[in-house]
């Protein structure tokens, strides 16, 4: 039975990955901060899909939490999904630097360290994959969040290039607006986001798994967002910056 470790596994895209992988017969290691929610999610998946589930409560913004997940990954998994992340409310200059640093710890340092903990074993076995969840925001300019996700995309592509020629894959997943707890947790007002831009977490994961099987290095689910990213790459940076500020949270 193949195994997968998913960070941020209790809700949103992480929970959707857990459902999809359980349905595909993976045993699961679920990582999140809330142990009570983790245990409930693990039991739900075990009963519904008949798969083995393991819970690993960990705060990836802490050294202790990161080290615990690194140790588990070195024991070996077939798929790592680096999904844990969060947003910050307000303009960059209004956000406490401690919050910005915590975001970088989770979005960048955790992705780096957990990927590096998983890949050596995968390369030795010549099989396995890492999915690093980024965002369409990576292709636009909007504070530390978009900057951190741009790093995730660049890092994932770089790692995939180094592994070229084997059966180990690294992919950055860049969804657009997804109906999850993400915006609510960050106290973001998303009333300005047009309804047609919202995606479901399950659809995002289904397309991500198809792209991973095809060897895609940067997955942008849904044709609407593929078009947005393609157009954004052609427009001048100052124009895309103005568009980014005019759409989304208030």
């Amino acid at each position: 039975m193949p195994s997968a470790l998913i960070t941020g596994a209790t809700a949103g895209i992480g929970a959707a990955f857990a459902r999809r992988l359980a349905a595909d017969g993976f045993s699961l290691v679920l990582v999140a901060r809330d142990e009570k929610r983790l245990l409930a999610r693990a039991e739900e998946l075990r009963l519904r899909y008949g798969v083995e589930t393991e819970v690993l409560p960990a705060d990836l913004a802490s050294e202790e939490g990161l080290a615990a997940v690194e140790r588990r990954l070195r024991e070996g998994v077939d798929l790592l999904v680096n999904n844990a992340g969060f947003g910050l409310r307000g303009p960059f200059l209004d956000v406490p630097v401690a919050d910005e640093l915590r975001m970088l710890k989770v979005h960048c340092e955790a992705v780096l360290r957990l990927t590096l903990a998983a890949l050596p074993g995968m390369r030795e076995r010549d099989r396995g994959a890492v999915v690093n969840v980024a965002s369409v925001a990576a292709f636009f300019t909007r504070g530390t969040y978009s900057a951190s996700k741009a790093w995730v995309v660049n890092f994932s592509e770089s790692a995939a290039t180094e592994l070229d020629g084997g059966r180990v894959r690294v992919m950055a997943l860049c969804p657009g607006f997804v109906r999850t707890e993400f915006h609510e947790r960050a106290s973001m007002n998303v009333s300005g986001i047009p309804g047609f831009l919202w995606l479901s977490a399950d659809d995002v994961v289904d397309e991500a798994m198809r792209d991973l099987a095809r060897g895609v290095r940067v997955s942008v689910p849904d044709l609407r967002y593929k078009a947005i990213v393609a157009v954004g790459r052609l427009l001048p940076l100052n124009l895309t910056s103005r568009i980014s500020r005019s759409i989304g949270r208030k």
Side-chain angles (χ1 to χ4, degrees):
M1 177 182 291
S3 60
L5 185 147
I6 306 165
T7 68
T10 55
I13 292 174
F17 264 110
R19 289 191 296 271
R20 167 60 192 265
L21 294 172
D24 288 347
F26 280 74
S27 63
L28 301 176
V29 182
L30 307 179
V31 179
R33 292 181 297 168
D34 189 330
E35 184 174 9
K36 183 177 179 179
R37 291 187 75 183
L38 271 179
L39 289 169
R41 181 69 63 189
E43 181 66 6
E44 172 191 328
L45 294 167
R46 186 185 66 80
L47 291 175
R48 182 174 180 180
Y49 299 102
V51 297
E52 296 180 8
T53 57
E54 175 185 342
V55 300
L56 178 50
D59 181 355
L60 298 184
S62 72
E63 181 59 31
E64 180 183 10
L66 265 176
V69 183
E70 284 178 310
R71 287 192 295 271
R72 179 59 183 85
L73 286 168
R74 292 190 184 108
E75 295 175 12
V77 297
D78 297 292
L79 174 62
L80 165 62
V81 180
N82 277 315
N83 167 74
F86 59 93
L88 296 172
R89 184 182 182 183
F92 167 67
L93 292 177
D94 295 340
V95 176
V97 68
D99 293 344
E100 297 283 6
L101 290 173
R102 184 169 180 269
M103 173 179 282
L104 292 176
K105 182 92 171 178
V106 174
H107 289 186
C108 299
E109 183 179 342
V111 168
L112 170 68
R113 289 174 56 175
L114 299 187
T115 299
L116 290 177
L119 283 180
M122 292 179 180
R123 185 164 60 177
E124 183 178 343
R125 298 186 299 274
D126 193 27
R127 71 176 190 275
V130 177
V131 176
N132 293 324
V133 178
S135 170
V136 161
F139 306 105
F140 298 89
T141 54
R142 188 142 186 176
T144 308
Y145 182 82
S146 65
S148 67
K149 293 304 187 179
W151 182 90
V152 171
V153 173
N154 193 303
F155 167 70
S156 301
E157 289 189 280
S158 299
T161 298
E162 288 201 27
L163 293 165
D164 196 28
R167 294 194 298 166
V168 179
R169 295 175 177 174
V170 178
M171 184 182 81
L173 172 60
C174 301
F177 292 111
V178 183
R179 294 197 182 278
T180 68
E181 298 177 0
F182 177 89
H183 301 95
E184 181 181 351
R185 286 182 175 181
S187 299
M188 296 178 186
N189 180 355
V190 293
S191 60
I193 300 172
F196 71 89
L197 287 179
W198 287 102
L199 306 175
S200 81
D202 290 319
D203 288 344
V204 166
V205 169
D206 286 345
E207 187 157 350
M209 294 303 292
R210 287 194 296 270
D211 283 346
L212 184 64
R214 292 169 49 223
V216 172
R217 294 184 178 182
V218 179
S219 172
V220 181
D222 195 88
L223 288 174
R224 290 164 289 182
Y225 281 103
K226 286 180 171 63
I228 288 170
V229 170
V231 170
R233 285 174 162 173
L234 296 174
L235 295 175
L237 182 59
N238 61 344
L239 179 56
T240 59
S241 297
R242 289 200 299 270
I243 293 171
S244 178
R245 287 195 302 268
S246 67
I247 298 176
R249 71 180 189 230
K250 297 180 180 178

